[in-house]
Structure formats: C-alpha cells, structure tokens
C-alpha cells in the first residue's frame, strides 16, 4: 500500500514552474506595495505621548463611565443600541420584498437581474457616505444614524435572504400541493418554517455589525459613541476616551454572547 502511495505521489503533476511564477509575482507585488509606504519618523517626545495615551485608556474616568445622565457612557450605550436595533429592524423589513423580487426561482430572470444590480449598488456605497448624506437631509443626531443603518443593512440582509429563498426545499411545497393545501397553507406550513430561522439569524448577525458601525457613524454626528469619543481624543482627554471604550467593549461582549446563544438556538432548534 505504501509503495502505491509513493508511486502515485511520484507521478503527480509537476507544476513547480507555475508555483514558482506565482510566488515571484506575489513577492514582487508585496515589494511594490511596500515602496508606497512612507515612514515619516517619530515626533519628539512620542514615547511620552504614547505612554500618556496608554495610561489614560487603561485608567478610565469612572465618574464618566457611571454617569447616568444624558452625557454619560450608559446613555451613549443605550443610544448606540437603539440606533443599531431600529436600523436592523428597518433594513430587515425592507429586505423581505426585495429578496423575493431578486430570487431567480420566483420571478423572471430579467427582473431578478435588475434587483441584484440595485442591491449591488446599495452595498457598494460605504456607511460613512450614507451617514454624511442623511445628516445633510435630517441634520445630526440619532435619526440620521438610524436611517443610515437601515439602508446599509438592506444590501447584506437582502443578499442573505435571497440565498435562503433559493435554497428552499421545493419537495415540501410539492407535497403540500399534492395534499390539496391552499396557497396560504403552503406559505404557512411549507415556506415560512424554512425561512424564518435563516431570516432571524441573518438579522441578528447584521445587528452585531450595525452595533459596531453605529460607533463609526457617531464620528460624523449620527449619534452614539462616536462623537464623544472623537471629541475626547481631540482634546487629549484619554481618561474619558478610555471610559467610552470600556463601555463599548462591555456592550459588544454582552451583545455578542446573547446573539450567539440566539443564533445557535435558531439553527439547532
């Protein structure tokens, strides 16, 4: 047996020339990319500045961290959760009809193609750009963040919903049709039980992403952690920045734990 394996190994296709060419091209691309990186050098007293930043981040302002007013970290956490949650709900609701329109096994291919082109265009624009656009329309605040999260969620959620619809077990629907079930009964007992776990799991996963994106959107004034964080960092108030980051870490860990449990429950039943 060993001899046969060795013989088969010796007779394997010799593609070392191809692999060598790929390695040389990859190495050349890495060297060419590194040539575009400019090292300006460290500024005077950079070690002291770095130490002050690290010290401030690891010694957060506890008064700010446990300030339960509208300017404290707990309120910013609540605002961030609300923006991410409502944005996910809006995106998930809008994505349902768009997913059915973009599915090739339910609608004609030209219509599905147009729907997918629209979704691709939505996914192409970064969340940061959407945030700036909505702030110009509605003004800075949590509502602009909510609209941004909703639009950004549509692209990804619709794509995942479309894949779930295309993976439907048609035999279940055919069995219900053979049993004389009505259209509503086929939807109720044949389609929804297959789609709901995938739909819910996708929405929860997108909520995790929106929770992180909501912090970035705050940098342009769309509510949440972002604006207070950038203000504290610009003013070199590293203790306040550390308090905000500590609250963000706690929030992400709690949401990640809960969402993982829910997704596991939905997947395994």
């Amino acid at each position: 047996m060993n001899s046969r394996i060795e013989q088969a190994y010796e007779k394997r296709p010799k593609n070392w020339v191809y692999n060598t060419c790929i390695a040389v091209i990859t190495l050349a691309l890495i060297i060419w990319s590194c040539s575009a990186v400019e090292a300006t050098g460290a500024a005077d007293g950079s070690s002291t500045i770095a130490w002050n930043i690290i010290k401030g981040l690891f010694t957060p302002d506890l008064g700010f961290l446990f300030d339960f007013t509208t300017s404290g970290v707990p309120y910013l956490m609540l605002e961030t959760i609300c923006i991410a949650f409502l944005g996910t709900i809006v995106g998930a609701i809008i994505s349902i009809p768009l997913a059915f329109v973009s599915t090739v096994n339910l609608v004609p291919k030209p219509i599905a193609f147009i729907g997918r082109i629209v979704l691709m265009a939505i996914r192409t624009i970064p969340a940061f750009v959407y945030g700036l656009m909505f702030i110009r329309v509605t003004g800075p605040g949590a509502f602009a963040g909510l609209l941004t999260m909703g639009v950004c969620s549509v692209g990804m959620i619709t794509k995942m919903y479309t894949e779930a619809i295309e993976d439907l077990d048609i035999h279940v629907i055919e069995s219900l049709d053979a049993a004389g079930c009505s259209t509503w009964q086929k939807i109720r007992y044949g389609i929804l039980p297959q789609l709901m776990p995938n739909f819910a799991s996708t929405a929860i996963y997108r909520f995790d992403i929106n929770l992180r994106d909501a912090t970035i959107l705050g940098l342009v004034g769309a509510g949440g952690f972002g604006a207070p964080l950038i203000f504290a960092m610009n003013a070199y108030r590293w203790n306040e920045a550390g308090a905000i980051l500590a609250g963000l870490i706690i929030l992400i860990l709690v949401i990640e734990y809960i969402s993982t449990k829910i997704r596991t429950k939905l997947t395994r039943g």
Side-chain angles (χ1 to χ4, degrees), residues 19-175:
N19 293 334
T20 303
C21 293
I22 294 297
V24 171
I25 293 173
T26 303
L27 181 61
L29 290 175
I30 292 174
I31 296 174
W32 177 70
S33 300
C34 292
S35 65
V37 179
E38 297 181 0
T40 57
D44 295 335
S46 57
S47 60
T48 303
I49 297 174
W51 170 249
N52 291 333
I53 293 174
I54 295 174
K55 181 181 178 181
L57 293 178
F58 283 93
T59 56
D61 185 353
L62 297 180
F64 184 49
L65 182 60
F66 296 101
D67 183 3
F68 292 94
T69 63
T70 55
S71 59
V73 173
Y75 179 81
L76 296 176
M77 293 172 61
L78 178 62
E79 187 178 42
T80 303
I81 292 176
C82 292
I83 293 173
F85 180 75
L86 292 177
T88 304
I89 294 297
V90 171
I93 293 174
I94 297 175
S95 297
I96 293 175
L98 290 178
F100 281 96
V101 171
S102 304
T103 306
V104 292
N105 56 349
L106 294 180
V107 298
K109 290 185 178 180
I111 298 178
F113 178 76
I114 295 174
R116 297 197 177 204
I117 291 295
V118 172
L119 295 176
M120 184 176 64
I122 293 175
R123 292 199 306 269
T124 301
I125 302 176
F128 202 78
V129 176
Y130 280 122
L132 293 174
M133 292 168 56
F134 282 117
I135 285 174
R136 294 291 297 175
V137 175
T138 64
F143 186 62
L146 188 156
L147 294 177
T148 304
M149 289 291 95
V151 174
C152 293
S153 300
V154 167
M156 173 194 161
I157 293 179
T158 303
K159 183 176 184 299
M160 302 297 290
Y161 282 6
T162 301
E163 293 177 358
I165 295 172
E166 290 178 348
D167 291 336
L168 279 174
D169 188 357
I170 305 299
H171 298 293
V172 176
I173 303 175
E174 292 176 350
S175 299

Side-chain angles (χ1 to χ4, degrees), residues 185-221:
Q185 288 175 329
K186 287 186 287 187
I187 295 174
R188 170 65 180 84
Y189 298 106
I191 296 178
L192 291 182
Q194 296 185 63
L195 294 181
M196 290 308 296
N198 290 328
F199 280 17
S201 179
T202 300
I204 293 171
Y205 178 64
R206 182 64 204 186
F207 173 68
D208 288 344
I209 298 175
N210 285 345
L211 197 61
R212 295 163 176 81
D213 288 348
T215 304
I216 301 174
L217 288 177
L219 300 177
V220 296

Side-chain angles (χ1 to χ4, degrees), residues 205-254:
Y205 178 64
R206 182 64 204 186
F207 173 68
D208 288 344
I209 298 175
N210 285 345
L211 197 61
R212 295 163 176 81
D213 288 348
T215 304
I216 301 174
L217 288 177
L219 300 177
V220 296
F225 276 114
L229 178 60
I230 196 65
F231 291 155
M233 295 177 68
N234 287 337
Y236 305 107
R237 298 194 300 267
W238 300 112
N239 291 39
E240 291 186 11
I244 295 174
L245 291 176
L248 180 60
I249 291 172
I250 294 172
L251 177 62
I252 294 296
L253 290 176
V254 172

